[in-house]
Amino acid sequence: MSGFQDRLNVVLVAIALVGLVLGLGIWATGHPQLADIVWTAGVAPVLAALVFEIIRSLSKGDVGLDIVAALSMSAALVFGETLAAAVVALMYSGGTFLESFAERRARREMSDLLSRVPRSATRHDNGALVEVDLDDIAPGDLLLIRQGDIAPVDGTVEADGAVLNQSALTGEAMPARLPRGGDVMSGSTNTGDAFDLRATHRATDSTYAGIVRLVEAAQKSKAPMVRLADRYSLVFLVVTVAIATAAWWFSGDPIRAVAVLVVATPCPLILAVPVALVAGMSRAAHYGVLIKGAGPLEAMARIRTVILDKTGTLTDGRPRILTVETQSDLTANEILFYAAALDQASKHPVAQAIVASAQDREMGLPVPVDPVETPGAGITGLVDGHRIALGGADFVIGQVGSGHSDHPATSEAEVTVAVAVDGQLVGYLVMADMLRSGTGGFLAGLRRIGIARILLATGDRQAVADGVTEGLDLDEVHAQMAPDQKVRLVLSEREHGPVMMVGDGVNDAPALAAANVGVAMGARGTAASAEAADVVLLVDRLDRLLPGLEVARGARRIALESVIAGIGLSIIGMIAAALGYLSPVEGAILQEVIDVAVILNALRALRIMPKCAP
C-alpha cells in the first residue's frame, strides 16, 4: 500500500473516531439531534472514500464486500440509525487500517531486504578513495568495504580474509569467514575488519539486485486462493443482501436489515487470505527461501511430486579430488602442486576444482609460463622450469610419448586427470562430483512432510546417474535427458498431481517453467534458472527447501482456518440480527471483533516453526 493510502487511512480513522466520541458526548448532554448531525459528519468522509474505491474497483471488473460496507452505512443513515452508521464507519476505517498494518507486519522479512539496498560505494581511484554511485561500479573495480558496510555488488575478497553476516540473504545466523578470493554476495554485511572487494558484476547484475527484483514482484502478486476469495465474496454479497431483504420483508422492520448488513462488514474472506499468505512468504524468506509470489506459495502447499536435477542440485556441482594416485617418486602434494599451478590458466570446471583444492591446502602457486590448452583434452605449460602436461590419459600419454600406464580403477561417477612432469607420467588425480552433504536426510524429510514421489532427471549417462544415486530413496532415475525431455517428464507427472522441479542450470529453465513450482539454486545457479523459477534458494543448500515447504503448508492451512471460522461466525451473526437478537450497533461491534480475530489468526503464519528448520 502506498504511503498516501496509509496516511488517508489514518485520517479517516481519526475523523470517524472523533465523530463517534464527540457525538456520544453531545448526546449525553441531552441534544440528540445535534449528536445525529455530528455522527453523520463523521460518517460522510469515510463513506465518500469508500464509494470512490468501489467505483475504481468496478471499473477494473472487481466486485468486493466493500459494497456491503457502503450499503450498511447508507442504510443506517437513511433509517436514522446514525450511531450505528458512526460505529460502522469507525469499524470499517479501523479494519482497513488494521489490514494494512497486518500486511506490513507480514512483509517484515522481505521489507528488510528492500530497506538494505545500498546507494553508493567507496572505490579505490589512483591511490585515493572516492564515493561513487552504484551504477558507476564496473567489474574489476576495487572497493573498500568498511566495518558495518553492506557489499554493494558481487565480488571476491582481496585481503587475507573477511567476516560477513549473510543472514538477511540466507538465514544463516553465524557470520561467514571467507578467505582471500572467496565469493562475496552483494547484500552481505561486513562484521569484521575493513577489506577490499574486487567487483565481479555490475550492481544491476548482482545477487542482491536480483533478490530485490524478485521481492518486488512477489509483493505485487495475487494467489489463486486470493482470486478464489474474490469470487466467493460476490456470493457472500448476494447472500448478505438476500438475508437482509428477507429480514425486512418478514418482520416489516428495516432496522433488522440494517443490522444484517453491518454484521457482514467487512468480510474475513478478504482479510485473512492475503495476510496469511504474505506472512508465509515473509517467514519463508527468513529461512533463505525466496518465494516470488503468493500464488507459488499456495502451489507449494499442494506439491506431491518432486523432480530433482543432479549436477549442482543433488550433487555439489563442483568436482572434488578424492585421491592422488602416484606413479613416481613425487608425493601426492607435489603432483597436486604442479597440476594446480598450470590449471590456473584454464577456466574448465575440473581445472578450477584442482586449483581450489591446492588453495585449500594453502599451497603458494607460481604463475604458469606458456600455457597451451587443447579444449576437451588437456593443457601443457611450464611451472618453475618444469614441463607439465595434464588432462585425459590419452592426451597426456600422447604428450610424453609413453606407450602404457597403470590407469587407476574408478567408478562410473569418477573421472581421472593424468599428470606428467618433464616427459614422465607421474600420477593421476581421481575426482568426482559428490552428493551434497545430508542428501539422504533431505530425501527422508521430503517423505516425512508428505511428498509421495521423488524423481531424478539428469543429462548424464545412466551408469553415472545410478552410481551417484545408489542407496538413495528415489522412485525413478531418468538419465541422458535433453531439456525438452525434462519438460515432457514434468508434464507427464503433472497429470497425477502438482509437481515441483528443482534445478540450477540453463538446461533446467524450461522444466522449471513447466512445473507447478520451479525451484532454482540461487546461490550459484544461472540467471536463466532463477528467472524461470517460482522459488529461489538464496543459500546453496538443498535442505532449505524443507522449511519452505512446511511454511507454505502452514500458511495455507491458517488462511483456510481463518476464512472458515470468520465466515461461519459472520453468518451466525447475520441470522441473529435477522431474527432481531442484535441491534445495528451490536452487530457492528461483533463484526469488528470477528475481523480482529481472523487477522490475528492469519498473522500466526509469521510464527510457523518448521520441524525441518536448520
Side-chain angles (χ1 to χ4, degrees):
M1 183 171 291
S2 67
F4 171 77
Q5 189 64 51
D6 286 341
R7 291 191 295 272
L8 178 60
N9 286 340
V10 172
V11 170
L12 292 177
V13 170
I15 292 174
L17 178 60
V18 170
L20 177 61
V21 173
L22 184 58
L24 286 173
I26 295 173
W27 177 82
T29 62
H31 298 83
Q33 292 181 339
L34 181 57
D36 287 339
I37 295 174
V38 172
W39 285 328
T40 302
V43 172
V46 178
L47 182 58
L50 178 55
V51 170
F52 176 79
E53 186 62 33
I54 290 172
I55 293 173
R56 190 173 67 171
S57 297
L58 290 176
S59 67
K60 298 178 181 178
D62 296 333
V63 179
L65 289 179
D66 287 345
I67 295 176
V68 176
L71 286 175
S72 65
M73 279 186 268
S74 301
L77 291 176
V78 168
F79 291 104
E81 292 287 335
T82 53
L83 175 57
V87 173
V88 171
L90 178 61
M91 297 309 172
Y92 177 79
S93 57
T96 304
F97 175 78
L98 181 60
E99 180 186 9
S100 63
F101 171 80
E103 286 212 25
R104 287 197 302 273
R105 173 78 170 82
R107 297 181 190 275
R108 180 182 55 187
E109 298 291 341
M110 293 189 295
S111 297
D112 286 348
L113 284 174
L114 293 176
S115 66
R116 290 166 43 83
V117 178
R119 306 300 179 193
S120 62
T122 305
R123 184 174 65 191
H124 289 273
D125 271 349
N126 299 320
L129 293 174
V130 180
E131 198 77 10
V132 296
D133 291 336
L134 292 192
D135 293 340
D136 294 333
I137 300 174
D141 284 353
L142 189 63
L143 309 176
L144 175 65
I145 309 299
R146 296 160 297 198
Q147 188 175 53
D149 282 353
I150 296 173
V153 296
D154 292 345
T156 57
V157 177
E158 291 284 319
D160 291 337
V163 181
L164 295 166
N165 182 349
Q166 300 174 329
S167 60
L169 304 174
T170 67
E172 291 283 359
M174 296 300 293
R177 296 182 177 275
L178 302 181
R180 178 182 289 274
D183 293 327
V184 176
M185 288 191 294
S186 54
S188 304
T189 303
N190 180 21
T191 58
D193 295 333
F195 70 94
D196 287 335
L197 174 76
R198 181 71 66 182
T200 57
H201 294 79
R202 292 188 177 277
T204 54
D205 300 326
S206 290
T207 300
Y208 198 69
I211 292 172
V212 169
R213 286 193 293 270
L214 295 180
V215 170
E216 289 173 338
Q219 291 185 334
K220 297 176 182 176
S221 72
K222 200 171 190 181
M225 181 183 286
V226 177
R227 290 192 289 269
L228 182 64
D230 291 341
R231 291 197 294 272
Y232 282 154
S233 69
L234 181 59
V235 175
F236 191 81
L237 171 62
V238 173
V239 170
T240 299
V241 173
I243 294 176
T245 303
W248 187 357
W249 178 270
F250 289 107
S251 69
D253 183 4
I255 303 305
R256 290 196 183 186
V258 175
V260 170
L261 291 174
V262 298
V263 169
T265 310
C267 178
L269 188 66
I270 300 301
L271 300 176
V273 174
V275 171
L277 296 185
V278 170
M281 291 161 56
S282 183
R283 187 61 175 163
H286 174 76
Y287 293 102
V289 182
L290 183 59
I291 303 173
K292 290 188 180 180
L297 181 135
E298 188 189 345
M300 283 180 71
R302 299 181 290 108
I303 292 298
R304 292 294 178 268
T305 299
V306 174
I307 301 176
L308 301 167
D309 175 46
K310 182 183 78 68
T311 304
T313 303
L314 201 63
T315 65
D316 189 54
R318 293 176 291 190
R320 286 186 286 173
I321 296 176
L322 302 181
T323 60
V324 179
E325 302 286 343
T326 64
Q327 295 190 354
S328 68
D329 294 335
L330 294 180
T331 65
N333 277 346
E334 289 172 327
I335 294 174
L336 176 59
F337 169 82
Y338 287 122
L342 180 57
D343 264 341
Q344 292 177 101
S346 173
K347 286 188 174 293
H348 193 281
V350 171
Q352 293 178 342
I354 292 173
V355 174
S357 179
Q359 290 174 338
D360 289 342
R361 302 185 192 191
E362 299 183 351
M363 293 182 177
L365 301 178
V367 177
V369 178
D370 298 331
V372 177
E373 184 171 9
T374 303
I379 186 171
T380 61
L382 294 174
V383 174
D384 282 350
H386 297 280
R387 172 63 60 178
I388 310 298
L390 69 147
D394 292 340
F395 172 81
V396 173
I397 290 173
Q399 291 291 319
V400 302
S402 303
H404 178 72
S405 175
D406 295 329
H407 196 287
T410 58
S411 70
E412 288 285 353
E414 296 172 348
V415 297
T416 59
V417 177
V419 183
V421 178
D422 292 333
Q424 179 186 359
L425 194 148
V426 296
Y428 291 91
L429 307 177
V430 181
M431 308 181 70
D433 183 10
M434 306 297 292
L435 283 174
R436 291 181 181 273
S437 176
T439 296
F442 164 71
L443 298 178
L446 289 178
R447 299 292 188 189
R448 281 196 303 272
I449 62 177
I451 301 301
R453 286 173 56 76
I454 306 175
L455 289 70
L456 179 75
T458 177
D460 283 344
R461 291 177 293 115
Q462 188 70 51
V464 174
D466 290 339
V468 169
T469 60
E470 184 177 359
L472 294 181
D473 183 16
L474 295 170
D475 293 293
E476 295 177 12
V477 175
H478 297 266
Q480 294 177 282
M481 300 198 79
D484 62 317
Q485 292 175 312
K486 289 185 179 182
V487 171
R488 285 197 290 271
L489 175 63
V490 168
L491 295 178
S492 66
E493 290 295 327
R494 285 186 60 171
E495 295 177 1
H496 309 293
V499 174
M500 171 182 283
M501 174 71 195
V502 187
D504 80 319
V506 173
N507 63 327
D508 297 320
L512 294 177
N516 297 93
V517 177
V519 181
M521 305 295 292
R524 287 207 317 269
T526 64
S529 63
E531 184 69 24
D534 304 294
V535 179
V536 178
L537 301 183
L538 301 181
V539 63
D540 200 25
R541 286 177 51 182
L542 193 57
D543 61 358
R544 288 303 178 92
L545 191 56
L546 295 176
L549 285 165
E550 288 192 70
V551 167
R553 294 185 177 194
R556 186 173 187 270
R557 183 184 66 253
I558 288 171
L560 290 174
E561 290 172 355
S562 298
V563 166
I564 293 171
I567 293 299
L569 291 172
S570 293
I571 291 176
I572 293 173
M574 285 190 290
I575 293 173
L579 296 175
Y581 293 113
L582 289 175
S583 69
V585 174
E586 293 169 340
I589 295 174
L590 173 63
Q591 184 56 55
E592 183 62 16
V593 170
I594 294 173
D595 292 339
V596 171
V598 297
I599 288 178
L600 292 178
N601 185 65
L603 284 174
R604 287 171 46 224
L606 283 174
R607 300 192 302 274
I608 295 173
M609 293 299 296
K611 296 179 181 178
C612 298

